[in-house]
């Protein structure tokens, strides 16, 4: 049991170090995938489209860097900026979304990449604290498992 806990502890430790070391690559990869999701967005309920809509609705953002990123997509040429970018769903017509100058007043202008990464970084201390707590419990479990093993081994050879 102590060996199993030690293995899990090492895996978590390695994952944390790798995540910290490669955080810039993770950001770059996220940005390129968000750009790909925008280019492939077609307004249907595929998982990439739903993810883009959810991010934009939840974080009150639009596009990768800003709302004008949508102008370079095929979706924009047909239908304009998606409704998930609208500040108010009632005050957002399709004609407004097709005109970038009108859309600027009706949609969120901030890009999603900065908001997602800043939200992740702000929650990182909470994740680190919880991970540290779990690691402490694992270390206590390893020590107690070793003590139990030693106690059982010592008592096995006593005379009855």
């Amino acid at each position: 049991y102590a060996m199993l806990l030690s293995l899990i502890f090492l895996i978590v430790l390695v994952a944390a170090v790798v995540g910290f070391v490669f955080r810039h690559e993770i950001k770059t990869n996220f940005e390129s995938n968000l750009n790909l999701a925008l280019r492939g967005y077609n307004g249907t309920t595929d998982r990439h489209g739903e993810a883009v809509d959810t991010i934009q609705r939840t974080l009150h953002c639009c596009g990768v860097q800003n709302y004008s990123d949508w102008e370079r997509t095929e979706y924009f040429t047909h239908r304009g900026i998606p409704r998930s970018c609208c500040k108010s769903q009632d005050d957002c017509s399709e004609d407004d979304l097709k005109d970038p100058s009108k859309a600027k007043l009706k949609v969120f202008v901030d890009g999603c990449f900065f908001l997602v990464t800043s939200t992740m970084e702000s929650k990182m201390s909470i994740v680190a604290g919880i991970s540290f707590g779990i690691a402490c419990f694992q270390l206590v479990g390893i020590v107690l498992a070793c003590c139990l093993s030693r106690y059982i081994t010592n008592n096995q050879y006593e005379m009855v």
Side-chain angles (χ1 to χ4, degrees):
Y1 182 71
M3 295 300 277
L4 180 65
L5 276 179
S6 298
L7 180 66
I8 293 170
F9 177 77
L10 287 175
I11 290 170
V12 169
L13 184 67
V14 167
V17 169
V18 167
F20 180 75
V21 170
F22 293 112
R23 67 184 181 279
H24 299 295
E25 286 82 1
I26 292 170
K27 279 184 179 180
T28 305
N29 196 9
F30 174 72
E31 185 178 18
S32 65
N33 283 332
L34 191 57
N35 276 318
L36 282 173
L38 252 65
R39 276 190 248 124
Y41 185 87
N42 58 11
T44 60
T45 56
D46 67 330
R47 61 187 178 105
H48 296 292
E50 284 182 28
V52 170
D53 286 338
T54 301
I55 289 172
Q56 291 181 150
R57 248 187 243 108
T58 305
L59 295 177
H60 303 293
C61 60
C62 189
V64 178
Q65 300 300 328
N66 57 36
Y67 77 100
S68 64
D69 292 336
W70 283 104
E71 294 175 35
R72 296 184 294 275
T73 64
E74 196 163 323
Y75 181 82
F76 182 82
T77 59
H78 300 295
R79 300 186 63 195
I81 296 173
R83 293 190 66 79
S84 60
C85 286
C86 293
K87 292 177 184 174
S88 171
Q89 295 296 321
D90 302 331
D91 187 33
C92 211
S93 69
E94 195 170 317
D95 292 333
D96 292 338
L97 295 174
K98 286 183 177 181
D99 183 9
S101 60
K102 289 181 186 177
K104 184 176 185 176
L105 303 172
K106 308 272 182 170
V107 300
F108 303 112
V109 292
D110 296 328
C112 294
F113 175 71
F114 175 73
L115 288 174
V116 168
T117 55
S118 63
T119 301
M120 285 173 39
E121 287 172 358
S122 69
K123 306 291 185 204
M124 201 57 70
S125 60
I126 295 170
V127 172
I130 291 171
S131 299
F132 181 72
I134 291 171
C136 288
F137 277 119
Q138 285 180 327
L139 288 175
V140 168
I142 292 168
V143 169
L144 290 177
C146 289
C147 289
L148 180 63
S149 173
R150 186 172 178 198
Y151 178 76
I152 290 172
T153 304
N154 286 343
N155 286 338
Q156 186 177 9
Y157 296 109
E158 284 185 13
M159 294 293 250
V160 178

